Amino acid sequence: MRVCGSIPATVSIFLLCLLLNPSLGAEENEIPLTIHDKKGRWNVQWGYNRDYFTQSDINFRGPGYRYTLKAVDARDKPESFKADVYLNPSKFEIPQYNLKFIYYFTDRFFLSFGQDHMKYVVTPGQTVKYSGYIDPGVIPKNQLALSPEAAAFIYLFPGHVQEMAGYHGGDQTITLTPDILKYEHTDGLNYLFLDFGWITPLYTSADGLSGISLISSIGGGPVVCRSDVRVLGKGQNNNFHVSGYGVSGYVATRYEFSRTYYIEFGGKGGYIDLTDVLTSGGSNRASQNFGFLELILSGGIAI
């Protein structure tokens, strides 16, 4: 009877030990989690970019005109560093930024989606060739709603915009002054993407809690533009509009300094086709396609 009575006491002591020291109930050979144990985890990533674009033929169409400006140069428009902008959450949309959400469905493979907020500005003052037709009546009609910068240029050089009237075979050249064109996607050239990607470890610390990896992904999605355009002096800063699509590939080097935080530097290259760009109101439109390269510095956190 004394032996049987000692069993509950023994069990009670054992359970008390488990509560005070949970590791006694763990497998002796259990492997601690490392930075490579990613399956089922989400990451949020934020960064900034610089953008580079290939030359592009820009096609303009509307009542009374259809013409093409050829091999047009463009650049990005990065915001200079100001603490009030870059460190102010209420102004996050001003710089050229990147936002990405990542889900690992295995330890190595993931899906990501997000937005690359780029800015595209046709370089003013460049000389380009052009072809197509502009009804001579379109030019004085547009001058009834001139932008201030176009009005000043037309006042100083009244004959310049008249060179665009009529038929043109493609050998003529024109300088892109304010009376001819202002063309920007500065609020912006918003590439919304869904990517499939994979991570390749390059170096891992002995404790498994820091390391360097190669990140690769491919994908595509719609491009939403807010285009500030003046065509032959007339135009407006348009509303956000789904203007086309893009496809891209991304390669980056990532340094993880815990299972929670990392920094990443990479490049994304791709192709954008804008088939329906809003210009000067009504049915007036533009279209273009070009290649792009982004250099992206970002940081991420696991959630």
Side-chain angles (χ1 to χ4, degrees), residues 223-258:
V223 178
V224 178
C225 293
R226 187 176 185 190
S227 306
D228 189 358
V229 181
R230 307 292 183 278
V231 176
L232 304 176
K234 177 187 176 183
Q236 59 192 19
N237 190 2
N238 293 279
N239 294 323
F240 290 100
H241 178 70
V242 178
S243 302
Y245 69 93
V247 292
S248 62
Y250 176 68
V251 178
T253 300
R254 176 186 293 179
Y255 173 61
E256 297 176 82
F257 46 92
S258 74

Side-chain angles (χ1 to χ4, degrees), residues 8 27 38 56 60 93 102 130 165 180 185 212-213 235 258 278:
E27 295 287 341
K38 298 182 181 297
S56 174
F60 295 91
E93 81 284 358
I102 305 168
Y130 64 102
I180 303 297
H185 312 301
I212 299 173
S213 301
S258 74
L278 302 180

Side-chain angles (χ1 to χ4, degrees), residues 127-298:
T127 298
V128 301
K129 291 184 177 182
Y130 64 102
S131 64
Y133 174 72
I134 299 175
D135 187 320
V138 169
I139 294 174
K141 183 178 178 180
N142 280 14
Q143 292 180 1
L144 297 176
L146 287 176
S147 63
E149 61 268 36
F153 198 93
I154 288 174
Y155 176 78
L156 294 172
F157 305 97
H160 187 241
V161 69
Q162 296 298 330
E163 297 177 26
M164 296 287 291
Y167 289 97
H168 305 281
D171 293 326
Q172 295 88 347
T173 61
I174 195 74
T175 302
L176 300 185
T177 48
D179 58 330
I180 303 297
L181 183 69
K182 175 185 177 180
Y183 189 91
E184 303 180 355
H185 312 301
T186 47
D187 199 22
L189 184 68
N190 299 298
Y191 176 37
L192 309 180
F193 61 86
L194 174 65
D195 280 4
F196 167 77
W198 56 98
I199 183 168
T200 305
L202 301 177
Y203 163 79
T204 307
S205 64
D207 61 5
L209 296 180
S210 64
I212 299 173
S213 301
L214 182 68
I215 309 297
S216 309
S217 66
I218 54 174
V223 178
V224 178
C225 293
R226 187 176 185 190
S227 306
D228 189 358
V229 181
R230 307 292 183 278
V231 176
L232 304 176
K234 177 187 176 183
Q236 59 192 19
N237 190 2
N238 293 279
N239 294 323
F240 290 100
H241 178 70
V242 178
S243 302
Y245 69 93
V247 292
S248 62
Y250 176 68
V251 178
T253 300
R254 176 186 293 179
Y255 173 61
E256 297 176 82
F257 46 92
S258 74
R259 292 196 70 234
T260 304
Y261 304 104
Y262 62 88
I263 57 174
E264 189 171 296
F265 178 72
K268 177 180 283 190
Y271 168 82
I272 286 177
D273 188 4
L274 302 180
T275 58
D276 191 46
V277 178
L278 302 180
T279 57
S280 54
S283 62
N284 298 283
R285 294 291 192 273
S287 61
Q288 62 176 145
N289 54 72
F290 51 85
F292 72 94
L293 172 65
E294 290 182 81
L295 298 180
I296 305 169
L297 178 63
S298 57

